[in-house]
Amino acid sequence: MIYLPIAEMPVNVLLVLLVSGAVGFMSGLVGVGGGFIMTPSLIFLGIPAPVAVATGASQIAATSFSGVLSQTRRKAVDWRMGILLSIGGMLGSASGVWLFERLLRIGQLDLIISLLYLLLLACVGGLMLAEGVAVMRGRSTPGVSILRRPARTIAHTLPFRMRFPRSGLYISVIPPLGLGFIIGALAAIMGIGGGFILIPAMIYLLRMPTNVVIGTSLFQVLVIASLIVVMQSTATQTVDLVLAALLMLGGVIGAQLGVRLGAGLKSEHLRALLGALLLAASAKFLFDLVIRPVEPYVLGGGLL
Amino acid sequence: MALALLCATPAAAQQQPGDVANDLPAAVAEEQITVSSDYRGSFVTVFGVNPDRRGRGDIVVVVRGPTQPARVMRKRQVFGLYMNGDAVRFREAPSFFAVLSNRPLRQIASAESIWRYQLDPAASAQLSSAVPAGADPSAYRAALVRLRREQGLYQEYSGRALPERRGGLTLYQGGLFRAVVRLPANAPIAQYHADTYLFRDGRLVSSQRVPITISRVGFERRIHDLATQHSFIYGLLTVLLALAAGWVAALIFRRT
């Protein structure tokens, strides 16, 4: 047991390491960021939601930085696009932190977080399950590179166009800024990195080549997560350094083991399993919202 | 515990109403409670002596945390979803409240005294906003007490501490009394007070207030001070820690 100085509660060190290790393991195995599993897990452990969201961002910063380092060596980061996405993300996360505080004040933060997680987990879980089942049945799913047609999207027709040499694109700056904004706002409110929304959007909306997508999205996630840590530290003082250190340690070790083990395993089974798990979690959020609560009264947030 | 009641003769009720003395000798065993990284809550032990030589009267001990504003919301159904209704505000409510007595409080003090001396958590919560139309203010007050009681922040005990309970008050020979209550780890870190009251025939005769200080020490204190007083530097430090962890992880990945 160790006492968390900001969450003001004792937690079991082994339990936190185990949970963060398991989340890191899964993200290493399946190749997802893991912020959207980590934050609900922390809330489930009894960590107050604001602390879980703000502290989770520091762990996302750690994992995305190690990802950016290895992607940079492969020259798989479009810096110009990354910076543009980050500018949008900074504005988005600033609005997100502001909205977070407003919602906390009017007492609807938990409702919004529940609804967003409900939608997010259902979508991601459904997609993963469908993909995993399709592959297991022997049908080859169309690969991401096949889907990427040289079609023109809205990104090509809007004004303020700019050249992105690394991605080989000449597109408007408005979609990357807007995309960054949305991801930044979601990241601040939900405690997620947002890579799993960002990556499909970059491929299908911006038509970026797949080899730079992961590195560039990791760069944006790193910038946004770092910014959120600093902003939450100053605005709401909900970042717990001790908890953050535990999450980083567990997450890093777990991710390593996951990557090593995942190399020799069929990932579609795991994807289907994780997808089913996420659907179940989403159903739990739904039930909590529609079932008549046993205790109709709730205490207001601990911050205000 | 009916003994104390039998001993309390009407002859003792000669004092003027409202004439409350401060001659109750009471002390707290844990005047300083320190919170370090292995903190898992603490016990608070209040002991003292009933100044009455024959041990007449009843003892009530209240351990109070600082008062803070509180909000209670009632869930209501909107489009099939349960969401929080309008918040009912309490101007102040104790952040921690434990009341211990040698026998049930209602038998010791009148409802009026309980309210006046704030001997139960509901009496200490001051409503400050209007409740939603058609709602009952006392339901919100009761909900506040019930929810805080579930968190271990509000506790009520009468009689001696038993192994299965987390607190109690025991009377000993010669008027000595001892009250023990468990302070959970989620109780706020602040300045507390232990108030001891001596009741006789339902009237307050004497009272005494003893401070209890709960404070962070060592590493916990440094982290908390940094987070609250230099929050920007604290945020940067957390990011640097994250970057260092990520860098080390990338190094290990590269090697394998």
Side-chain angles (χ1 to χ4, degrees):
Chain A
M1 298 291 269
I2 189 164
Y3 187 82
L4 301 178
I6 304 300
E8 296 200 341
M9 60 177 285
V11 290
N12 191 326
V13 176
L14 281 178
L15 195 64
V16 172
L17 284 180
L18 212 68
V19 167
S20 58
V23 173
F25 182 77
M26 264 201 281
S27 63
L29 207 56
V30 187
V32 291
F36 65 101
I37 314 173
M38 183 72 92
T39 308
S41 308
L42 290 179
I43 295 171
F44 180 71
L45 282 183
I47 312 278
V51 177
V53 167
T55 309
S58 66
Q59 197 257 340
I60 293 167
T63 47
S64 56
F65 185 58
S66 74
V68 166
L69 285 179
S70 54
Q71 295 291 336
T72 309
R73 278 197 295 273
R74 292 178 209 152
K75 301 205 183 305
V77 183
D78 183 338
W79 297 106
R80 190 176 276 195
M81 180 66 83
I83 286 166
L84 213 55
L85 284 168
S86 301
I87 292 169
M90 284 177 191
L91 298 172
S93 54
S95 329
V97 170
W98 175 82
L99 195 65
F100 189 87
E101 207 202 326
R102 290 295 310 163
L103 288 170
L104 200 63
R105 208 177 282 277
I106 61 170
Q108 300 301 353
L109 183 67
D110 48 351
L111 174 77
I112 300 298
I113 288 183
S114 293
L115 278 177
L116 286 174
Y117 266 108
L118 169 63
L119 291 174
L120 197 73
L121 293 178
C123 292
V124 177
L127 285 174
M128 282 179 123
L129 185 62
E131 189 192 335
V133 168
V135 173
M136 274 191 275
R137 277 185 184 162
R139 273 190 282 129
S140 63
T141 47
V144 152
S145 50
I146 300 165
L147 277 177
R148 189 183 165 266
R149 294 170 295 263
R152 293 169 69 85
T153 63
I154 193 166
H156 297 78
T157 48
L158 283 171
F160 308 114
R161 269 172 265 180
M162 194 177 185
R163 213 166 279 286
F164 297 92
R166 179 61 53 82
S167 304
L169 289 173
Y170 180 58
I171 57 167
S172 165
V173 298
I174 294 169
L177 285 177
L179 186 60
F181 185 89
I182 293 167
I183 302 294
L186 284 179
I189 296 171
M190 300 175 72
I192 58 172
F196 61 98
I197 309 172
L198 193 54
I199 289 171
M202 285 163 92
I203 293 171
Y204 299 118
L205 185 71
L206 306 183
R207 303 285 175 189
M208 280 175 71
T210 43
N211 59 330
V212 295
V213 159
I214 292 174
T216 310
S217 78
L218 279 173
F219 174 72
Q220 197 252 8
V221 168
L222 168 66
V223 173
I224 299 311
S226 308
L227 191 70
I228 287 172
V229 170
V230 175
M231 282 195 297
Q232 294 278 28
S233 296
T234 49
T236 55
Q237 298 183 347
T238 46
V239 177
D240 198 304
L241 193 54
V242 175
L243 181 62
L246 289 176
L247 294 186
M248 289 172 203
L249 186 64
V252 161
I253 294 170
Q256 263 214 75
L257 293 175
V259 167
R260 281 187 193 179
L261 226 113
L265 275 178
K266 279 192 173 178
S267 70
E268 52 268 24
H269 291 88
L270 294 161
R271 268 176 188 270
L273 192 71
L274 185 62
L277 213 71
L278 296 185
L279 278 182
S282 139
K284 168 87 172 74
F285 275 106
L286 183 67
F287 280 130
D288 287 349
L289 282 174
V290 295
I291 300 280
R292 174 175 288 276
V294 182
E295 168 64 68
Y297 292 92
V298 281
L299 286 175
L303 281 174
L304 298 159
Chain B
M1 288 302 113
L3 264 174
L5 183 69
L6 291 173
C7 290
T9 56
Q14 284 168 352
Q15 282 169 298
Q16 301 289 315
D19 178 16
V20 180
N22 289 327
D23 61 346
L24 186 61
V28 176
E30 304 87 357
E31 284 176 359
Q32 290 276 343
I33 296 172
T34 56
V35 175
S36 53
S37 53
D38 59 351
Y39 181 69
R40 292 176 66 178
S42 176
F43 280 98
V44 172
T45 311
V46 181
F47 56 90
V49 180
N50 183 343
D52 188 287
R53 283 171 183 272
R54 284 188 282 169
R56 291 171 303 179
D58 293 295
I59 302 290
V60 178
V61 172
V62 182
V63 178
R64 291 184 176 97
T67 58
Q68 288 165 354
R71 296 182 310 154
V72 176
M73 291 163 286
R74 191 180 202 287
K75 285 193 183 291
R76 61 194 171 89
Q77 210 170 9
V78 181
F79 300 120
L81 300 179
Y82 280 95
M83 60 182 287
N84 296 334
D86 292 332
V88 168
R89 283 165 224 286
F90 291 86
R91 185 159 42 81
E92 50 184 40
S95 51
F96 178 83
F97 193 101
V99 53
L100 306 109
S101 47
N102 56 315
R103 62 195 176 103
L105 195 60
R106 310 265 162 220
Q107 297 173 20
I108 295 174
S110 62
E112 194 250 342
S113 300
I114 290 175
W115 202 260
R116 181 169 165 196
Y117 301 113
Q118 304 191 340
L119 298 182
D120 89 14
S124 314
Q126 310 290 324
L127 209 63
S128 70
S129 72
V131 297
D136 177 14
S138 62
Y140 280 88
R141 198 186 293 274
L144 174 73
V145 173
R146 186 170 66 240
L147 291 166
R148 290 257 170 102
R149 194 182 285 146
E150 278 168 21
Q151 296 176 339
L153 294 176
Y154 290 176
Q155 305 176 27
E156 287 139 84
Y157 303 101
S158 67
R160 58 173 59 238
L162 298 168
E164 71 270 17
R165 291 199 300 183
R166 283 139 68 98
L169 190 146
T170 315
L171 295 180
Y172 296 94
Q173 292 276 315
L176 187 70
F177 64 86
R178 174 172 165 273
V180 183
V181 66
R182 169 130 183 96
L183 200 65
N186 57 340
I189 298 170
Q191 178 76 43
Y192 284 57
H193 288 283
D195 291 298
T196 306
Y197 304 88
L198 172 64
F199 278 88
R200 199 176 296 146
D201 304 327
R203 283 199 310 109
L204 182 64
V205 178
S206 183
S207 73
Q208 183 66 262
R209 165 163 278 208
V210 186
I212 307 165
T213 306
I214 308 182
S215 54
R216 297 176 172 83
V217 291
F219 179 69
E220 296 291 311
R221 191 196 184 107
R222 257 174 272 145
I223 294 281
H224 188 265
D225 286 354
L226 194 64
T228 49
Q229 289 158 24
H230 308 281
S231 51
F232 184 71
I233 296 171
Y234 176 82
L236 284 185
L237 202 71
T238 312
V239 171
L240 282 180
L241 180 71
L243 295 186
W247 183 64
V248 170
L251 274 186
I252 297 167
F253 268 114
R254 200 183 192 180
R255 235 175 256 166
T256 51

